[in-house]
Amino acid sequence: MAMRTTTLVLTLTLAYAATPPTWPNQFHVEYTEYSHQLHPWGNGTTNQGSLHYDFTNRRQLFVHGEGQTDNWCQCAGTGTDDECHLLSAVGASGNSSEGSMIAWFPALAKCCTIGNWDHGFGPIRPDWLVAGNSTHVGPKKVDGRMCDEWANNHPGDYFMMTSDNWSQDSNGVPCDYVDTFKKWVRVLGMRHSLTFDPSSYSTAAEGDAVFARPTVDCSESCPNKQGWCTA
């Protein structure tokens, strides 16, 4: 009986991990973001944030709270760690017929356009893990939860990274997102992850106000031109 039970558990585990997960078309969740820049000493930074995802209406918002050192927010060239909103939607830059991603700093009333959808700055596809032929990393524990991790081996930054890793529990609730860097980058200290709060997760649709473009001008291109800012 013990052997049969073990076999059953193994079969279920393999079945669960057979196919990369697909995101629901709409969800929102809060997270704790950890970042450590390219220096092998000192502490990293931690801040709060949230992801608002609505592929049904082709819009997406990442909120990186105060204390952030997010690389996409750095495209704006503000030189601050103020709260930063990365909104990807049609009309985000002020052009009602064009989809684009903007970086907006509410406390500074500053906003700029990082790039348009033709250059890869649209909302993430719900099946990005499937489309990327992601590999199964295996089970992992995240804040006491058993999660299943997948690695998309087509990261946005091939020079520094090997994969974008996503994990979620058996109920489909996100656990974490991790930028997996190449060994030489890790030796220099680079780290970045989002650890999701399961109690905040919801697949309920959010209203237009969540994804509303700011009232300030966002039409100018962001001034910083690091590699990722012109992907």
Side-chain angles (χ1 to χ4, degrees):
M1 179 62 69
M3 183 175 293
R4 289 181 181 177
T5 301
T6 302
T7 302
L8 177 61
V9 171
L10 178 60
T11 300
L12 290 174
T13 301
L14 291 174
Y16 173 63
T19 306
T22 298
W23 284 4
N25 279 355
Q26 294 176 313
F27 72 91
H28 52 277
V29 64
E30 297 174 4
Y31 57 75
T32 298
E33 181 172 25
Y34 175 77
S35 303
H36 196 288
Q37 303 305 312
L38 276 174
H39 53 78
W41 57 87
N43 297 320
T45 60
T46 301
N47 58 275
Q48 302 306 305
S50 57
L51 165 58
H52 307 263
Y53 184 72
D54 183 2
F55 197 76
T56 300
N57 295 297
R58 301 302 300 276
R59 53 194 185 180
Q60 167 187 292
L61 171 67
F62 277 92
V63 176
H64 298 277
E66 185 176 1
Q68 59 79 25
T69 56
D70 183 77
N71 62 315
W72 295 107
C73 294
Q74 291 172 8
C75 298
T78 64
T80 73
D81 64 357
D82 288 282
E83 181 174 300
C84 166
H85 294 203
L86 299 175
L87 173 65
S88 180
V90 173
S93 66
N95 185 337
S96 61
S97 63
E98 180 181 72
S100 57
M101 185 169 82
I102 61 171
W104 173 40
F105 292 76
L108 305 177
K110 290 188 176 181
C111 185
C112 60
T113 296
I114 296 176
N116 60 37
W117 289 4
D118 291 340
H119 291 87
F121 292 102
I124 300 169
R125 293 171 46 162
D127 65 345
W128 67 281
L129 290 167
V130 177
N133 196 26
S134 299
T135 55
H136 184 228
V137 179
K140 64 185 292 187
K141 263 195 174 183
V142 179
D143 289 344
R145 283 193 296 154
M146 284 305 304
C147 307
D148 207 37
E149 184 176 16
W150 291 85
N152 183 320
N153 300 303
H154 303 282
D157 184 352
Y158 276 103
F159 179 67
M160 299 178 68
M161 293 177 57
T162 59
S163 64
D164 295 299
N165 287 30
W166 175 268
S167 72
Q168 62 185 48
D169 64 23
S170 59
N171 294 317
V173 178
C175 295
D176 69 1
Y177 166 84
V178 179
D179 284 326
T180 305
F181 294 100
K182 293 180 178 179
K183 183 176 180 179
W184 69 268
V185 183
R186 296 197 307 272
V187 168
L188 292 176
M190 198 73 166
R191 302 285 190 277
H192 181 246
S193 64
L194 308 176
T195 302
F196 299 105
D197 174 7
S199 67
S200 69
Y201 177 75
S202 173
T203 56
E206 294 187 286
D208 292 341
V210 173
F211 303 93
R213 67 174 300 273
T215 56
V216 299
D217 180 27
C218 300
S219 61
E220 294 295 322
S221 296
C222 292
N224 278 2
K225 300 301 178 185
Q226 289 95 338
W228 58 81
C229 298
T230 57

